[in-house]
Amino acid sequence: MSLEDLSPESRDELAMLARQLAENPATRKDMLRLTKKIRPDMPIPELEIEDYTHSAVQQANNRVEQLEARLRERDAMDELNSRRNKLKAKGLIDNDEDIDEVEKVMLDKGITNHEVAAEYWRWMQQSAAPTPTGYNPSAINKFDLSKYWKNPVAGARDEASKALNELRKNPRPIGL
């Protein structure tokens, strides 16, 4: 690219424009970057220092973020271990294998508290008392059936009279 075909006034005008762009703080960096695009081998210390500083600061920020992430992870693990140890200290679990089961219950049931999950897990582990099968004769032993065998009407009347007297003795109203 040559400027020989331009008049001296046109060259002076281009030179003045380039100078204005170079001296204006708002356009200087853009002009330098465009110059670097056209002539990549041209050293421009102002841009090189800025780019180097920017990359160094970016690397430092990345390292700080990584360290912060590791610290957060370590704090989370410490908190988790603390919660697990509290379960052992309170006697909600017996061994480390139980912790895995409790945490599985936490995930399955959406429970966020270790203690609540451990209590729920322990409750689930307890076996229910078996229901008695067959006939329970204890209810029939409450009544003396000999009166009913002799005279059923008189036995029923006597039982009704006892119940009525019991209701009359009690000063509280029924249902309270």
Side-chain angles (χ1 to χ4, degrees):
M1 206 177 240
S2 171
L3 298 176
E4 293 173 355
D5 59 343
L6 293 178
S7 67
E9 294 83 27
S10 296
R11 279 187 294 196
D12 290 344
E13 190 177 325
L14 281 175
M16 182 57 97
L17 179 62
R19 184 173 184 177
Q20 287 174 348
L21 288 172
E23 290 176 355
N24 186 346
T27 59
R28 178 165 177 75
K29 287 186 184 173
D30 293 332
M31 183 180 169
L32 291 175
R33 294 212 185 273
L34 289 172
T35 305
K36 190 71 170 174
K37 274 188 179 178
I38 293 172
R39 299 178 83 189
D41 57 336
M42 180 179 196
I44 303 176
E46 188 176 338
L47 285 180
E48 292 169 359
I49 290 171
E50 183 179 341
D51 291 344
Y52 176 77
T53 305
H54 180 70
S55 67
V57 167
Q58 187 64 32
Q59 287 176 352
N61 286 340
N62 289 343
R63 289 188 60 187
V64 167
E65 288 174 5
Q66 289 173 350
L67 288 173
E68 287 175 346
R70 277 194 239 140
L71 285 174
R72 281 192 299 272
E73 183 179 341
R74 188 176 72 195
D75 289 346
M77 289 303 294
D78 289 345
E79 177 66 23
L80 181 63
N81 288 332
S82 169
R83 288 181 183 182
R84 289 174 175 173
N85 290 335
K86 283 182 185 176
L87 292 179
K88 287 181 187 177
K90 289 185 177 183
L92 295 172
I93 58 168
D94 299 326
N95 53 33
D96 291 335
E97 290 80 27
D98 294 345
I99 290 175
D100 295 335
E101 294 296 322
V102 168
E103 289 177 349
K104 183 177 182 222
V105 167
M106 288 176 74
L107 292 175
D108 291 345
K109 300 295 181 187
I111 301 172
T112 57
N113 188 328
H114 273 78
E115 291 181 23
V116 172
E119 290 171 357
Y120 179 80
W121 176 78
R122 184 171 289 269
W123 175 72
M124 293 299 291
Q125 295 301 315
Q126 293 176 354
S127 60
T131 55
T133 58
Y135 173 70
N136 188 359
S138 64
I140 204 79
N141 292 336
K142 289 183 178 181
F143 299 107
D144 182 21
L145 296 179
S146 62
K147 295 186 272 181
Y148 290 100
W149 288 112
K150 291 178 188 173
N151 186 353
V153 173
R157 197 175 295 141
D158 289 341
E159 276 302 312
S161 155
K162 282 183 197 175
L164 188 59
N165 286 335
E166 187 177 321
L167 287 174
R168 287 181 182 159
K169 279 192 316 186
N170 199 352
R172 286 188 339 202
I174 296 175
L176 294 178

